[in-house]
Amino acid sequence: MEGNIIPARPGEHNLADYGAARADFDFARVAEEFSWFESGRVNIVYEAVDRQVAELGRGDQAALYFEDGRRQEEYTFKQLQEQSARFAAVLQQYGLARGDRLGIFMPRSPELYISFLGAARRGVVVVPLFEAFMEEALRDRLGDSGAAAVVTTPELLPRIPVGDLPALKHIFVAGEDIPPGALDWRAVTAAAAPDTAMEWVDREHPLFILYASGADGKARGLVHVHEIMTGLLITARWVHDLRPGDVYWCTADPGWITGIAYGFLAPWLLGIPVVVRGGRFDAADWCATLAKYRVSVWYSAPTAFRMLMAGGDELLARYDLSRLRHILSVGEPLTEEVLNWSMQKLGQPVYDTWWMSETGMNMICNYRCLPVKPGSIGRPFPGITAVIVDDQGREMPAGKIGNLAIKDGWPSRFRSVWNDPERYARYFRHRPWFISGDAAYRDEDGYFYFQGRVDGVINTSGERVGPFEVEQKLAEHPAVARAGVAGKPDRLRGEIVKAFVVLAPGYAWSDELAAELRNFVKTGLAAHAAPREFEVKAEIPLTGDGRVDRRVLREWVLGLS
Ligand code: 6R9
């Protein structure tokens, strides 16, 4: 059942008339907004940072407010320009050239953003690595991308299996104690000249390779290019409603697509300062951060909103959140409960946005100029064609659940899968459609409704976990003969990772073994991938071609068989 429709909020906002925009919008026109439209010289770092300084008079304006409980720092656009130019010089000095790959494996910190900008400035391709990754996940990603250098911290460095990575030549460490053999990020950056020339690239030049989990096989390296800026700029304006004077906070980690695309690139293209909150924080810290930085536009996830809800009225009452004028959500279903809470307690809806690592930009969204139908992810962004297709790629009518698909050609889409053209082709097996892997339906008004993944990829607290990687890891443990992994619906986390295991001969099930297996995945792969529930089975169902039968696992977790 659909809940009460929340009316449009006409008035001053960037996308004033969705219908008109849909009728005549063309991404080609967004090109006119960039300086390369006239100069012919392309680099996203120029548009997001240098241009803000050189052409738009924003050099002394704040770009980054960083805080993590230990450090509190503020950077202007000019400072980001200078620092990233220094780091670009460092990369040049150590032989990284256009097209080479640089891994960035560190917790949120100013050095992370400066390293990203410094690399992109040189045409070096960034490989973002989520700070929770452990040895196995790092070996796969750094190995597959052939990274020539990595930026990390003293705490995270021990997880990088340096000996297994022949292409890895340099390790930059940002922190206090620099281990032997590593380069001191801060010292070499401070010593470098701040005037390295910008490397002009093609719009199709790779910007970053983001590893995302799929249903089968190891994580795939999605290649995004400088042209991603076109979709980012226009969605920052029309979806996030950003305009001069705003302070923007996107709470996602830069190890994931949201934390890259909207955490800094999109807002900086419009010259808007961002807040980055690192370290561990609780519901009170969320509110304190919103209040302290007078955040006006906030992009977060249902998990975070649920934490605030749990904090109760008393928590909200302690903070001045009056500057907050636009709130958005991504990553997992936005429940009506959260929507009602925000209407009542924050006096405004949370606007849901649907997209993926592959799409590079917001695709199906709710906008201030359209009514919000609770439970719906909204309508396609102007210039985007979304449909529901059956398993043969045929379009399905309104009301029918099928595969959510997007017509190829939007500017911010991934351009390839690194080292794996076959996997890339699979996404486009029904051309012209990009098959998302999500199930959805559309109503008569063109609103879409998310219905879950079709392919077994797990979404736990908004983080994507590939069942195959977890199964592989579990099977490495001597007690496990075979494993099958699936997402089990969970009120708090959306889904939890559930593992079905067949025990090896001679092993008996116990709570200790469960804890050991959980820890085995946690320390080998990543904490968010560790199963929260186990069930012992006599066998794991396989499909005809010998792969884990995910449909049966799905029935198992739902208790249907
Ligand atoms: C941006 C991001 C993508 C998957 C996607 C879908 C789920 C994203 C959602 C949503 C329900 C929304 N997802 N937005 N589910 N409502 N508004 O999260 O990218 O990490 O690649 O995950 O997340 O299942 O296919 P990514």
Side-chain angles (χ1 to χ4, degrees):
M1 261 306 283
E2 283 170 28
N4 292 330
I5 291 177
I6 299 166
R9 314 178 106 213
E12 198 202 327
H13 51 81
N14 277 309
L15 180 58
D17 187 342
Y18 177 84
R22 256 207 97 74
D24 71 8
F25 175 75
D26 183 345
F27 282 111
R29 290 216 323 257
V30 183
E32 294 170 23
E33 305 240 4
F34 293 107
S35 63
W36 49 256
F37 185 73
E38 297 211 330
S39 70
R41 295 191 306 235
V42 177
N43 191 310
I44 192 171
V45 179
Y46 183 79
E47 305 294 332
V49 179
D50 292 44
R51 181 193 191 197
Q52 306 298 330
V53 178
E55 296 177 37
L56 302 172
R58 296 186 176 128
D60 295 324
Q61 287 183 22
L64 172 65
Y65 297 107
F66 177 80
E67 181 174 347
D68 70 356
R70 288 178 305 165
R71 295 163 72 182
Q72 184 180 332
E73 292 167 20
E74 194 181 316
Y75 292 78
T76 62
F77 282 101
K78 201 190 269 165
Q79 286 167 326
L80 285 182
Q81 176 183 23
E82 188 199 306
Q83 294 283 324
S84 64
R86 287 183 194 275
F87 186 66
V90 170
L91 291 176
Q92 193 168 16
Q93 195 182 328
Y94 286 93
L96 271 85
R98 186 192 183 102
D100 289 343
R101 275 81 59 209
L102 171 78
I104 300 184
F105 177 49
M106 62 200 315
R108 281 169 235 193
S109 63
E111 290 80 4
L112 187 158
Y113 298 91
I114 293 165
S115 299
F116 191 112
L117 295 173
R121 184 180 279 284
R122 290 283 312 139
V124 166
V125 184
V126 173
V127 181
L129 299 158
F130 184 44
E131 62 164 311
F133 287 149
M134 304 302 282
E135 189 171 315
E136 183 103 9
L138 294 167
R139 184 184 293 112
D140 287 346
R141 290 159 174 82
L142 286 167
D144 184 66
S145 62
V150 69
V151 180
T152 188
T153 61
E155 296 74 29
L156 296 186
L157 175 61
R159 296 194 207 155
I160 302 176
V162 177
D164 303 342
L165 299 165
L168 193 64
K169 306 237 163 25
H170 306 292
I171 297 173
F172 297 98
V173 175
E176 299 304 323
D177 303 307
I178 310 299
L183 296 156
D184 182 341
W185 190 98
R186 289 180 191 150
V188 291
T189 303
D195 50 8
T196 349
M198 180 73 66
E199 180 90 7
W200 301 114
V201 297
D202 192 273
R203 273 148 65 188
E204 295 295 315
H205 184 69
L207 174 63
F208 61 93
I209 303 174
L210 181 66
Y211 283 84
S213 299
D216 291 298
K218 303 272 190 191
R220 46 198 79 181
L222 310 175
V223 179
H224 280 284
V225 301
H226 282 246
E227 170 74 343
I228 195 173
M229 70 177 101
T230 301
L232 294 187
L233 181 140
I234 194 64
T235 51
R237 184 179 295 149
W238 281 355
V239 180
H240 300 255
D241 198 41
L242 292 181
R243 59 175 84 123
D246 273 323
V247 177
Y248 182 70
W249 187 24
C250 164
T251 58
D253 190 273
W256 303 95
I257 190 70
T258 310
I260 301 167
Y262 294 95
F264 59 104
L265 293 175
W268 287 348
L269 288 169
L270 293 180
I272 308 291
V274 303
V275 174
V276 172
R277 181 72 168 82
R280 291 190 166 277
F281 47 103
D282 59 18
D285 292 321
W286 290 94
C287 295
T289 304
L290 289 167
K292 176 173 174 182
Y293 295 98
R294 302 161 71 82
V295 172
S296 54
V297 181
W298 184 31
Y299 195 23
S300 199
T303 306
F305 300 128
R306 282 193 291 265
M307 262 172 62
L308 285 199
M309 279 172 70
D313 293 356
E314 176 264 339
L315 174 72
L316 288 182
R318 273 191 277 146
Y319 300 92
D320 174 11
L321 305 182
S322 58
R323 289 292 293 259
L324 200 54
R325 65 169 188 84
H326 192 43
I327 309 173
L328 308 101
S329 176
V330 65
E332 39 173 336
L334 181 71
T335 54
E336 211 173 327
E337 196 188 8
V338 171
L339 206 47
N340 289 338
W341 165 82
S342 86
M343 288 300 283
Q344 278 172 24
K345 308 295 177 188
L346 302 174
Q348 55 194 312
V350 173
Y351 291 88
D352 199 8
T353 62
W354 177 92
W355 61 299
M356 309 173 66
S357 301
E358 288 84 345
T359 69
M361 63 181 271
N362 298 156
M363 300 301 276
I364 301 180
C365 310
N366 286 284
Y367 317 89
R368 298 169 73 94
C369 63
L370 284 184
V372 173
K373 296 192 188 187
S376 167
I377 52 178
R379 296 177 61 178
F381 189 77
I384 299 295
T385 306
V387 293
I388 304 297
V389 297
D390 65 16
D391 289 343
Q392 280 71 49
R394 289 176 303 222
E395 266 184 68
M396 295 168 78
K400 295 276 182 226
I401 298 179
N403 301 291
L404 175 54
I406 311 281
K407 191 169 188 178
D408 192 13
W410 70 97
S412 300
R413 70 200 185 281
F414 68 135
R415 295 302 200 270
S416 59
V417 175
W418 189 258
N419 280 339
D420 201 341
E422 249 167 63
R423 270 232 185 115
Y424 182 70
R426 270 197 62 71
Y427 284 104
F428 294 98
R429 60 190 176 275
H430 300 302
R431 284 213 170 263
W433 306 115
F434 158 78
I435 307 294
S436 68
D438 281 0
Y441 71 90
R442 162 177 67 83
D443 70 12
E444 297 287 352
D445 298 328
Y447 283 71
F448 285 76
Y449 297 78
F450 173 82
Q451 301 290 297
R453 292 287 303 183
V454 284
D455 59 6
V457 170
I458 301 159
N459 186 341
T460 180
S461 297
E463 289 173 341
R464 227 164 118 169
V465 175
F468 177 81
E469 286 180 295
V470 184
E471 287 161 2
Q472 292 275 96
K473 192 74 215 163
L474 285 170
E476 281 174 27
H477 192 281
V480 177
R482 257 185 175 289
V485 167
K488 178 178 169 182
D490 180 82
R491 229 178 93 81
L492 192 65
R493 296 188 171 79
E495 284 183 320
I496 56 164
V497 179
K498 169 145 193 183
F500 298 96
V501 292
V502 179
L503 291 177
Y507 283 89
W509 189 247
S510 66
D511 287 348
E512 290 72 34
L513 180 57
E516 189 180 320
L517 290 177
R518 194 174 140 67
N519 202 40
F520 188 67
V521 177
K522 202 168 168 175
T523 52
L525 207 55
H528 59 274
R532 287 183 180 271
E533 251 186 45
F534 287 92
E535 195 173 320
V536 177
K537 289 278 181 187
E539 60 189 77
I540 301 296
L542 299 180
T543 58
D545 53 1
R547 290 173 300 142
V548 172
D549 190 337
R550 309 220 166 269
R551 277 175 210 255
V552 177
L553 292 194
R554 185 104 200 112
E555 289 171 5
W556 280 0
V557 290
L558 296 176
L560 300 176
S561 67

